[in-house]
Amino acid sequence: MQKKRIEKLMGNRFEITVEAEKTRDADQFLQVAVDEIGRIEEKLSTFKEQSETNRINRNAGIAAVEVSDETFQLIKRSQKISALTQGAFDISYGSLDKRFWNFDTRMTSLPDRKTAKSMVKLINYRNIILDDEKNTVFLKNRGMRIGFGGIGKGYAAEKTKELLKNMGVKAGIVNASGDLTAWGIPENGHKWTIGIVHPDFKDMPFSYLDVTDLAVATSGNYEKFAVIDGKKYSHTIDPQTGFPIQGIKSVTIICPNAEISDALATPVTVMGIKAGLGMINQMKDISCIIIDDFNNMYYSKNIRII
């Protein structure tokens, strides 16, 4: 039997599906999944006063903060992705001043480019200093802030999947607001079929994938945006310019690991079509679909869609 549970966690809609022989077992698995995501949220959330993230941020430019090995290793992996993407992915994006970048109906104008560029001066993953022996994290400059918005959902989905698999759940999906991971074969004998959302019609997939043991993440301008003087501005900010990205509506990453798929979707958007596809085409077992502002679609070399 198959059972589903929907919860708001980490500020996002999580939809967890498991297969089990009995309803009681399915309920237990779903509760374990919710508890695991909640545990991760307590560590990583910037909305939890005592989270490790906030302790690090409060001590920016002041002192190194000892954290759990789990958080330390996630930050370490994040820095590697930053280096790989030449800073297009950077967890120190939290330094951005939210007064300028509230992408909602109250946002009626953009700052000028000079102001925008000055706002990103604190974004630099190289200034996150890690001490492997002490498991400490030190943000070099006052005002620096880290956040896991670009990798946290995928990380939580991946950890939850591994936990459920270790408990004996042979098939399931953890879907974190479109960043999802699926494993096993459902009882109907077919792979999981998932839709790839179109940025202009977020409730209408433009294509489908049959997947198992794969993760899919999409970053798109349909998630959060502002319309100013008739022009749509995505919430994705170029860390080099401090200005919203233009030219790409959405990027979908498909790979075996949800943390990686989540973390790569935004930097490909920042890098642009040519550089983004060039990077993905050099990576093993990772595929990409890009839709530009004119609804043209671009695919990495190894993509297969139906």
Side-chain angles (χ1 to χ4, degrees):
M1 63 158 294
Q2 193 175 109
K3 195 161 186 184
K4 181 187 297 185
R5 182 166 167 181
I6 299 170
E7 296 281 348
K8 186 171 183 181
L9 299 158
M10 301 179 75
N12 291 277
R13 182 183 189 269
F14 273 76
E15 186 176 298
I16 307 151
T17 304
V18 297
E19 293 210 347
E21 291 183 5
K22 300 176 182 176
T23 300
R24 183 179 62 186
D25 293 339
D27 288 338
Q28 181 188 357
F29 294 142
L30 291 169
Q31 186 59 51
V32 166
V34 169
D35 290 345
E36 174 68 357
I37 297 163
R39 182 191 68 80
I40 293 169
E41 182 176 12
E42 289 293 325
K43 282 180 180 288
L44 303 184
S45 174
T46 55
F47 298 101
K48 304 282 184 180
E49 189 64 26
Q50 294 306 313
S51 71
E52 292 188 324
T53 305
N54 276 335
R55 287 200 293 113
I56 293 167
N57 290 341
R58 280 198 299 270
N59 285 279
I62 301 169
V65 175
E66 185 177 353
V67 297
S68 64
D69 188 60
E70 180 178 19
T71 299
F72 187 87
Q73 295 301 329
L74 179 59
I75 293 172
K76 200 170 185 179
R77 292 194 301 275
S78 296
Q79 286 190 313
K80 289 179 180 178
I81 296 169
S82 294
L84 175 70
T85 61
Q86 299 179 354
F89 173 88
D90 196 324
I91 60 170
S92 65
Y93 76 92
S95 310
L96 282 173
D97 192 328
K98 298 297 188 293
R99 291 173 301 172
F100 291 105
W101 298 123
N102 274 324
F103 283 88
D104 57 25
T105 54
R106 294 169 294 172
M107 188 173 178
T108 57
S109 64
L110 293 168
D112 61 53
R113 291 190 177 271
K114 188 176 180 181
T115 303
K117 194 160 187 177
S118 72
M119 288 165 53
V120 297
K121 62 186 177 184
L122 289 171
I123 300 177
N124 190 339
Y125 68 93
R126 297 178 186 86
N127 289 332
I128 304 172
I129 312 302
L130 302 180
D131 187 321
D132 288 276
E133 290 185 6
K134 298 179 180 178
N135 254 43
T136 60
V137 183
F138 177 55
L139 304 185
K140 196 171 178 181
N141 300 312
R142 284 181 180 267
M144 276 188 73
R145 288 174 57 83
I146 62 170
F148 295 96
I151 195 172
K153 287 189 300 178
Y155 173 70
E158 190 67 23
K159 288 285 286 185
T160 303
K161 176 196 78 174
E162 290 303 322
L163 182 59
L164 291 173
K165 286 179 70 175
N166 289 337
M167 291 181 69
V169 180
K170 291 184 170 56
I173 296 179
V174 181
N175 184 348
S177 292
D179 294 351
L180 64 84
T181 183
W183 73 97
I185 301 294
E187 59 188 355
N188 62 15
H190 301 288
K191 293 181 179 180
W192 300 100
T193 298
I194 61 170
I196 306 296
V197 69
H198 193 290
D200 290 343
F201 312 98
K202 65 179 182 178
D203 296 321
M204 186 184 300
F206 73 87
S207 189
Y208 293 89
L209 290 169
D210 285 339
V211 301
T212 186
D213 301 313
L214 278 177
V216 180
T218 299
S219 177
N221 64 7
Y222 58 88
E223 297 172 298
K224 195 187 251 188
F225 60 88
V227 177
I228 300 168
D229 295 331
K231 190 172 184 179
K232 190 175 185 178
Y233 290 91
S234 165
H235 73 291
T236 304
I237 303 295
D238 185 336
Q240 300 298 316
T241 66
F243 230 66
I245 296 298
Q246 297 286 295
I248 291 178
K249 283 185 177 180
S250 74
V251 170
T252 298
I253 301 289
I254 304 131
C255 75
N257 184 288
E259 178 185 320
I260 299 298
S261 60
D262 189 12
L264 288 179
T266 296
V268 168
T269 307
V270 173
M271 294 167 76
I273 297 166
K274 187 176 179 181
L277 284 179
M279 178 184 72
I280 296 297
N281 283 332
Q282 295 178 58
M283 302 173 81
K284 186 180 179 182
D285 299 327
I286 299 180
S287 304
C288 178
I289 305 168
I290 299 174
I291 301 177
D292 71 12
D293 281 351
F294 303 99
N295 287 335
N296 297 309
M297 294 186 189
Y298 304 83
Y299 306 96
S300 59
K301 291 178 180 177
N302 57 349
I303 193 73
R304 286 186 297 175
I305 61 173
I306 59 172

mmCIF file of all heavy atoms in Angstrom, residues 227-261:
data_model
loop_
_atom_site.group_PDB
_atom_site.id
_atom_site.type_symbol
_atom_site.label_atom_id
_atom_site.label_comp_id
_atom_site.label_asym_id
_atom_site.label_seq_id
_atom_site.Cartn_x
_atom_site.Cartn_y
_atom_site.Cartn_z
ATOM 1 N N VAL A 227 7.147 42.217 -10.106
ATOM 2 C CA VAL A 227 6.911 42.849 -11.411
ATOM 3 C C VAL A 227 7.022 44.359 -11.211
ATOM 4 O O VAL A 227 6.233 44.967 -10.488
ATOM 5 C CB VAL A 227 5.535 42.468 -11.986
ATOM 6 C CG1 VAL A 227 5.306 43.198 -13.303
ATOM 7 C CG2 VAL A 227 5.428 40.958 -12.163
ATOM 8 N N ILE A 228 8.022 44.945 -11.826
ATOM 9 C CA ILE A 228 8.298 46.377 -11.683
ATOM 10 C C ILE A 228 8.313 47.020 -13.062
ATOM 11 O O ILE A 228 9.045 46.583 -13.954
ATOM 12 C CB ILE A 228 9.649 46.597 -10.968
ATOM 13 C CG1 ILE A 228 9.600 45.962 -9.566
ATOM 14 C CG2 ILE A 228 9.980 48.075 -10.864
ATOM 15 C CD1 ILE A 228 10.933 45.865 -8.883
ATOM 16 N N ASP A 229 7.459 48.019 -13.245
ATOM 17 C CA ASP A 229 7.324 48.679 -14.552
ATOM 18 C C ASP A 229 7.066 47.676 -15.665
ATOM 19 O O ASP A 229 7.619 47.773 -16.762
ATOM 20 C CB ASP A 229 8.576 49.512 -14.864
ATOM 21 C CG ASP A 229 8.759 50.663 -13.893
ATOM 22 O OD1 ASP A 229 7.740 51.168 -13.376
ATOM 23 O OD2 ASP A 229 9.914 51.044 -13.641
ATOM 24 N N GLY A 230 6.234 46.674 -15.356
ATOM 25 C CA GLY A 230 5.839 45.685 -16.353
ATOM 26 C C GLY A 230 6.854 44.595 -16.610
ATOM 27 O O GLY A 230 6.614 43.714 -17.438
ATOM 28 N N LYS A 231 7.976 44.609 -15.909
ATOM 29 C CA LYS A 231 9.027 43.614 -16.138
ATOM 30 C C LYS A 231 9.135 42.696 -14.928
ATOM 31 O O LYS A 231 9.077 43.143 -13.785
ATOM 32 C CB LYS A 231 10.369 44.310 -16.393
ATOM 33 C CG LYS A 231 11.463 43.374 -16.872
ATOM 34 C CD LYS A 231 12.700 44.181 -17.277
ATOM 35 C CE LYS A 231 13.771 43.266 -17.854
ATOM 36 N NZ LYS A 231 14.978 44.000 -18.271
ATOM 37 N N LYS A 232 9.305 41.398 -15.196
ATOM 38 C CA LYS A 232 9.381 40.405 -14.137
ATOM 39 C C LYS A 232 10.823 40.227 -13.688
ATOM 40 O O LYS A 232 11.718 40.015 -14.511
ATOM 41 C CB LYS A 232 8.819 39.067 -14.652
ATOM 42 C CG LYS A 232 8.617 38.003 -13.585
ATOM 43 C CD LYS A 232 7.934 36.794 -14.228
ATOM 44 C CE LYS A 232 7.579 35.736 -13.210
ATOM 45 N NZ LYS A 232 6.884 34.588 -13.823
ATOM 46 N N TYR A 233 11.052 40.308 -12.377
ATOM 47 C CA TYR A 233 12.390 40.122 -11.814
ATOM 48 C C TYR A 233 12.379 38.917 -10.876
ATOM 49 O O TYR A 233 11.611 38.869 -9.914
ATOM 50 C CB TYR A 233 12.838 41.365 -11.051
ATOM 51 C CG TYR A 233 13.126 42.548 -11.932
ATOM 52 C CD1 TYR A 233 12.120 43.465 -12.239
ATOM 53 C CD2 TYR A 233 14.390 42.748 -12.481
ATOM 54 C CE1 TYR A 233 12.374 44.561 -13.060
ATOM 55 C CE2 TYR A 233 14.657 43.841 -13.300
ATOM 56 C CZ TYR A 233 13.638 44.742 -13.580
ATOM 57 O OH TYR A 233 13.899 45.821 -14.397
ATOM 58 N N SER A 234 13.239 37.951 -11.172
ATOM 59 C CA SER A 234 13.344 36.761 -10.349
ATOM 60 C C SER A 234 14.037 37.071 -9.034
ATOM 61 O O SER A 234 14.807 38.026 -8.916
ATOM 62 C CB SER A 234 14.145 35.691 -11.107
ATOM 63 O OG SER A 234 14.559 34.662 -10.234
ATOM 64 N N HIS A 235 13.793 36.203 -8.022
ATOM 65 C CA HIS A 235 14.459 36.361 -6.732
ATOM 66 C C HIS A 235 15.913 35.894 -6.768
ATOM 67 O O HIS A 235 16.644 36.072 -5.794
ATOM 68 C CB HIS A 235 13.705 35.581 -5.656
ATOM 69 C CG HIS A 235 13.883 34.094 -5.773
ATOM 70 N ND1 HIS A 235 13.359 33.368 -6.804
ATOM 71 C CD2 HIS A 235 14.538 33.201 -4.985
ATOM 72 C CE1 HIS A 235 13.677 32.097 -6.648
ATOM 73 N NE2 HIS A 235 14.396 31.962 -5.555
ATOM 74 N N THR A 236 16.328 35.274 -7.877
ATOM 75 C CA THR A 236 17.708 34.793 -7.974
ATOM 76 C C THR A 236 18.642 35.955 -8.268
ATOM 77 O O THR A 236 18.539 36.605 -9.306
ATOM 78 C CB THR A 236 17.845 33.727 -9.085
ATOM 79 O OG1 THR A 236 16.912 32.668 -8.837
ATOM 80 C CG2 THR A 236 19.255 33.167 -9.113
ATOM 81 N N ILE A 237 19.557 36.211 -7.335
ATOM 82 C CA ILE A 237 20.460 37.350 -7.435
ATOM 83 C C ILE A 237 21.843 36.884 -7.874
ATOM 84 O O ILE A 237 22.371 35.890 -7.360
ATOM 85 C CB ILE A 237 20.584 38.079 -6.075
ATOM 86 C CG1 ILE A 237 19.213 38.532 -5.584
ATOM 87 C CG2 ILE A 237 21.543 39.262 -6.177
ATOM 88 C CD1 ILE A 237 18.550 39.573 -6.440
ATOM 89 N N ASP A 238 22.441 37.595 -8.814
ATOM 90 C CA ASP A 238 23.822 37.330 -9.213
ATOM 91 C C ASP A 238 24.733 37.852 -8.105
ATOM 92 O O ASP A 238 24.757 39.059 -7.827
ATOM 93 C CB ASP A 238 24.121 38.056 -10.528
ATOM 94 C CG ASP A 238 25.506 37.728 -11.072
ATOM 95 O OD1 ASP A 238 26.381 37.338 -10.281
ATOM 96 O OD2 ASP A 238 25.717 37.887 -12.288
ATOM 97 N N PRO A 239 25.506 36.986 -7.434
ATOM 98 C CA PRO A 239 26.339 37.439 -6.325
ATOM 99 C C PRO A 239 27.464 38.381 -6.740
ATOM 100 O O PRO A 239 28.071 39.044 -5.893
ATOM 101 C CB PRO A 239 26.903 36.134 -5.734
ATOM 102 C CG PRO A 239 26.773 35.132 -6.813
ATOM 103 C CD PRO A 239 25.580 35.526 -7.618
ATOM 104 N N GLN A 240 27.713 38.482 -8.043
ATOM 105 C CA GLN A 240 28.744 39.403 -8.519
ATOM 106 C C GLN A 240 28.199 40.823 -8.692
ATOM 107 O O GLN A 240 28.892 41.800 -8.445
ATOM 108 C CB GLN A 240 29.316 38.912 -9.859
ATOM 109 C CG GLN A 240 29.966 37.541 -9.797
ATOM 110 C CD GLN A 240 31.166 37.506 -8.871
ATOM 111 O OE1 GLN A 240 32.006 38.395 -8.885
ATOM 112 N NE2 GLN A 240 31.241 36.467 -8.043
ATOM 113 N N THR A 241 26.947 40.932 -9.129
ATOM 114 C CA THR A 241 26.386 42.255 -9.439
ATOM 115 C C THR A 241 25.373 42.742 -8.411
ATOM 116 O O THR A 241 25.093 43.943 -8.322
ATOM 117 C CB THR A 241 25.677 42.227 -10.805
ATOM 118 O OG1 THR A 241 24.524 41.371 -10.719
ATOM 119 C CG2 THR A 241 26.611 41.710 -11.900
ATOM 120 N N GLY A 242 24.801 41.805 -7.652
ATOM 121 C CA GLY A 242 23.749 42.184 -6.710
ATOM 122 C C GLY A 242 22.424 42.444 -7.376
ATOM 123 O O GLY A 242 21.491 42.960 -6.762
ATOM 124 N N PHE A 243 22.291 42.083 -8.659
ATOM 125 C CA PHE A 243 21.069 42.351 -9.415
ATOM 126 C C PHE A 243 20.400 41.048 -9.826
ATOM 127 O O PHE A 243 21.074 40.020 -9.982
ATOM 128 C CB PHE A 243 21.413 43.169 -10.666
ATOM 129 C CG PHE A 243 20.557 44.389 -10.834
ATOM 130 C CD1 PHE A 243 20.634 45.432 -9.923
ATOM 131 C CD2 PHE A 243 19.665 44.501 -11.887
ATOM 132 C CE1 PHE A 243 19.847 46.560 -10.063
ATOM 133 C CE2 PHE A 243 18.868 45.621 -12.036
ATOM 134 C CZ PHE A 243 18.953 46.656 -11.125
ATOM 135 N N PRO A 244 19.062 41.052 -10.007
ATOM 136 C CA PRO A 244 18.370 39.827 -10.403
ATOM 137 C C PRO A 244 18.865 39.299 -11.752
ATOM 138 O O PRO A 244 19.201 40.062 -12.654
ATOM 139 C CB PRO A 244 16.900 40.270 -10.499
ATOM 140 C CG PRO A 244 16.807 41.464 -9.614
ATOM 141 C CD PRO A 244 18.121 42.163 -9.752
ATOM 142 N N ILE A 245 18.880 37.977 -11.841
ATOM 143 C CA ILE A 245 19.269 37.303 -13.076
ATOM 144 C C ILE A 245 18.210 37.528 -14.153
ATOM 145 O O ILE A 245 17.019 37.499 -13.878
ATOM 146 C CB ILE A 245 19.422 35.788 -12.824
ATOM 147 C CG1 ILE A 245 20.562 35.524 -11.839
ATOM 148 C CG2 ILE A 245 19.643 35.028 -14.114
ATOM 149 C CD1 ILE A 245 21.907 35.977 -12.322
ATOM 150 N N GLN A 246 18.671 37.744 -15.368
ATOM 151 C CA GLN A 246 17.777 37.861 -16.522
ATOM 152 C C GLN A 246 18.203 36.842 -17.573
ATOM 153 O O GLN A 246 19.357 36.448 -17.635
ATOM 154 C CB GLN A 246 17.855 39.268 -17.108
ATOM 155 C CG GLN A 246 17.390 40.381 -16.167
ATOM 156 C CD GLN A 246 15.877 40.399 -16.022
ATOM 157 O OE1 GLN A 246 15.144 40.650 -16.962
ATOM 158 N NE2 GLN A 246 15.400 40.124 -14.819
ATOM 159 N N GLY A 247 17.246 36.428 -18.389
ATOM 160 C CA GLY A 247 17.578 35.556 -19.515
ATOM 161 C C GLY A 247 17.131 34.121 -19.354
ATOM 162 O O GLY A 247 16.910 33.429 -20.348
ATOM 163 N N ILE A 248 16.990 33.648 -18.119
ATOM 164 C CA ILE A 248 16.592 32.265 -17.871
ATOM 165 C C ILE A 248 15.358 32.236 -16.972
ATOM 166 O O ILE A 248 15.320 32.888 -15.933
ATOM 167 C CB ILE A 248 17.736 31.461 -17.215
ATOM 168 C CG1 ILE A 248 18.881 31.262 -18.215
ATOM 169 C CG2 ILE A 248 17.240 30.114 -16.712
ATOM 170 C CD1 ILE A 248 20.076 30.515 -17.640
ATOM 171 N N LYS A 249 14.349 31.474 -17.396
ATOM 172 C CA LYS A 249 13.136 31.332 -16.586
ATOM 173 C C LYS A 249 13.252 30.198 -15.572
ATOM 174 O O LYS A 249 12.772 30.318 -14.454
ATOM 175 C CB LYS A 249 11.930 31.056 -17.490
ATOM 176 C CG LYS A 249 11.401 32.276 -18.224
ATOM 177 C CD LYS A 249 10.147 31.898 -18.993
ATOM 178 C CE LYS A 249 9.543 33.103 -19.693
ATOM 179 N NZ LYS A 249 8.311 32.740 -20.454
ATOM 180 N N SER A 250 13.856 29.097 -15.994
ATOM 181 C CA SER A 250 13.969 27.981 -15.052
ATOM 182 C C SER A 250 15.118 27.055 -15.437
ATOM 183 O O SER A 250 15.502 26.957 -16.602
ATOM 184 C CB SER A 250 12.667 27.172 -14.989
ATOM 185 O OG SER A 250 12.497 26.380 -16.134
ATOM 186 N N VAL A 251 15.644 26.388 -14.414
ATOM 187 C CA VAL A 251 16.683 25.365 -14.588
ATOM 188 C C VAL A 251 16.253 24.138 -13.790
ATOM 189 O O VAL A 251 15.927 24.246 -12.607
ATOM 190 C CB VAL A 251 18.058 25.848 -14.086
ATOM 191 C CG1 VAL A 251 19.055 24.695 -14.057
ATOM 192 C CG2 VAL A 251 18.594 26.975 -14.955
ATOM 193 N N THR A 252 16.247 22.977 -14.440
ATOM 194 C CA THR A 252 15.938 21.716 -13.782
ATOM 195 C C THR A 252 17.179 20.834 -13.814
ATOM 196 O O THR A 252 17.772 20.640 -14.877
ATOM 197 C CB THR A 252 14.771 20.987 -14.471
ATOM 198 O OG1 THR A 252 13.591 21.804 -14.381
ATOM 199 C CG2 THR A 252 14.492 19.647 -13.823
ATOM 200 N N ILE A 253 17.567 20.323 -12.654
ATOM 201 C CA ILE A 253 18.724 19.440 -12.536
ATOM 202 C C ILE A 253 18.238 18.050 -12.145
ATOM 203 O O ILE A 253 17.413 17.900 -11.237
ATOM 204 C CB ILE A 253 19.716 19.945 -11.463
ATOM 205 C CG1 ILE A 253 20.206 21.357 -11.794
ATOM 206 C CG2 ILE A 253 20.887 18.972 -11.315
ATOM 207 C CD1 ILE A 253 21.148 21.445 -12.964
ATOM 208 N N ILE A 254 18.753 17.027 -12.825
ATOM 209 C CA ILE A 254 18.423 15.637 -12.528
ATOM 210 C C ILE A 254 19.717 14.893 -12.222
ATOM 211 O O ILE A 254 20.637 14.892 -13.045
ATOM 212 C CB ILE A 254 17.710 14.949 -13.708
ATOM 213 C CG1 ILE A 254 16.453 15.749 -14.106
ATOM 214 C CG2 ILE A 254 17.344 13.518 -13.383
ATOM 215 C CD1 ILE A 254 16.333 16.032 -15.558
ATOM 216 N N CYS A 255 19.791 14.274 -11.049
ATOM 217 C CA CYS A 255 20.987 13.510 -10.685
ATOM 218 C C CYS A 255 20.644 12.550 -9.555
ATOM 219 O O CYS A 255 19.532 12.590 -9.023
ATOM 220 C CB CYS A 255 22.136 14.441 -10.302
ATOM 221 S SG CYS A 255 21.988 15.212 -8.681
ATOM 222 N N PRO A 256 21.561 11.687 -9.135
ATOM 223 C CA PRO A 256 21.218 10.697 -8.108
ATOM 224 C C PRO A 256 21.051 11.263 -6.700
ATOM 225 O O PRO A 256 20.499 10.591 -5.839
ATOM 226 C CB PRO A 256 22.409 9.722 -8.141
ATOM 227 C CG PRO A 256 23.038 9.916 -9.489
ATOM 228 C CD PRO A 256 22.845 11.359 -9.804
ATOM 229 N N ASN A 257 21.513 12.480 -6.439
ATOM 230 C CA ASN A 257 21.557 13.015 -5.081
ATOM 231 C C ASN A 257 20.786 14.321 -4.979
ATOM 232 O O ASN A 257 21.052 15.279 -5.710
ATOM 233 C CB ASN A 257 23.022 13.224 -4.680
ATOM 234 C CG ASN A 257 23.181 13.684 -3.255
ATOM 235 O OD1 ASN A 257 22.873 14.816 -2.913
ATOM 236 N ND2 ASN A 257 23.676 12.798 -2.397
ATOM 237 N N ALA A 258 19.806 14.405 -4.053
ATOM 238 C CA ALA A 258 18.944 15.586 -3.948
ATOM 239 C C ALA A 258 19.701 16.815 -3.474
ATOM 240 O O ALA A 258 19.371 17.936 -3.855
ATOM 241 C CB ALA A 258 17.780 15.292 -2.998
ATOM 242 N N GLU A 259 20.689 16.631 -2.627
ATOM 243 C CA GLU A 259 21.491 17.773 -2.172
ATOM 244 C C GLU A 259 22.204 18.434 -3.352
ATOM 245 O O GLU A 259 22.227 19.661 -3.484
ATOM 246 C CB GLU A 259 22.514 17.309 -1.140
ATOM 247 C CG GLU A 259 23.429 18.405 -0.643
ATOM 248 C CD GLU A 259 24.506 17.891 0.284
ATOM 249 O OE1 GLU A 259 24.220 17.016 1.126
ATOM 250 O OE2 GLU A 259 25.662 18.367 0.184
ATOM 251 N N ILE A 260 22.774 17.595 -4.212
ATOM 252 C CA ILE A 260 23.501 18.113 -5.377
ATOM 253 C C ILE A 260 22.549 18.767 -6.369
ATOM 254 O O ILE A 260 22.827 19.849 -6.900
ATOM 255 C CB ILE A 260 24.297 16.986 -6.075
ATOM 256 C CG1 ILE A 260 25.332 16.388 -5.119
ATOM 257 C CG2 ILE A 260 24.967 17.499 -7.345
ATOM 258 C CD1 ILE A 260 26.379 17.355 -4.648
ATOM 259 N N SER A 261 21.412 18.129 -6.645
ATOM 260 C CA SER A 261 20.474 18.703 -7.625
ATOM 261 C C SER A 261 19.969 20.062 -7.146
ATOM 262 O O SER A 261 19.878 21.020 -7.919
ATOM 263 C CB SER A 261 19.307 17.747 -7.893
ATOM 264 O OG SER A 261 18.585 17.472 -6.715
#
